[in-house]
Amino acid sequence: MKIALLSRNTKLYSTKRLVDTARSRGHEVHVLDVLRCYMGITSHNPEIHYKGKIMSGFDAVIPRIGASVTFYGTAVLRQFEMMGVYPLNESVAISRARDKLRACQLLARKGIGLPITGFANKPDDIEDLIKMVGGAPLVIKILSGTQGVGVVLAETQQAAESVIESFLDLKVSVLVQEYIREAKGADIRCFVVGEKVVAAMKRQGKEGEFRSNLHQGGTATLVTATREERAAAVRAANTMGLNVCGVDILRSNRGPLVIEVNSSPGLEGIETATGKDVAGTIIEFLEKNARVGNTRTKGGR
Ligand code: ADP
């Protein structure tokens, strides 16, 4: 296969692992910096150019699109799709997952377990918003945050009100969410490839920290996800229309609750914690599924 890998940095662990694994299995891989791709948008003749050359003949494209370049990155990916190149994850699925509010709405529609969540732009009654999600303590998240940045635990009603007010004054949209105390600062990352959980790890926040993100000092260990957790992860992936994703789950008294579906999950944490060859599983998935023109938009928009 001839594979395009959209990544801004060839030195990243995930990029390196995917490139090395694909090459070792006999594939040709080109790493393209998504921001340097430019597109010709003409009727019936979509083109992508890179460093003065027309990109053609690709069988598959692996998007590794960072949150800060979602808009342009998904446009380039869509151009590949229009050229009939098979995407590991489709552009529309990535857009769904990147928008935390849209993702919550779609997951809720399918009846997937979620913490009680409220969203507001300019509420006249913040007290009522807080009451809606069960009162303090509660978690406030800015919509554009990643890796735990912009996720705040407000312990009291007063703290919750002032944090929400401050964000809204700054014109930052927020999600307000029930705090799942019994998760004890841990979550389960289920790595899904093609309707299966192929690896799972437990991430535990450092002492006194409710966020388990590795970027916030959390640690990761191998865990066996329960049948219920695996089923929730696969349903969440299907709802987004993602072939490959990391689904973050909180263990709550009422069962698994999905808090995030990550469309470009990192490989370093999961491969190190589980010892599994996740990159190999991803390339194998492409070998089985990548056919020219086999790009379909899964799920509802
Ligand atoms: P990000 O996308 O920035 O990682 P998350 O929504 O995944 O943001 O939240 C970061 C971390 O905070 C999660 O991994 C989890 O450990 C913790 N967390 C998030 N939401 C809740 C919640 N409602 N209750 C308890 N802990 C939470």
Side-chain angles (χ1 to χ4, degrees), residues 100 115 139 141 145-149 151 177-180 187 203 210-213 250 259-260:
K100 286 189 189 204
V139 178
K141 302 182 186 183
T146 57
Q147 298 173 342
V149 177
V151 180
Q177 203 164 64
E178 165 196 16
Y179 175 50
I180 309 300
D187 71 0
R203 300 181 306 183
F210 82 103
R211 295 168 301 174
S212 61
N213 305 72
L250 294 179
I259 47 166
E260 157 126 89

Side-chain angles (χ1 to χ4, degrees), residues 111-133:
I112 293 165
L114 301 168
I116 302 169
T117 303
F119 172 76
N121 178 39
K122 205 172 178 306
D124 295 322
D125 196 339
I126 288 179
E127 242 177 80
D128 186 49
L129 174 70
I130 292 172
K131 209 162 81 197
M132 196 172 82
V133 299

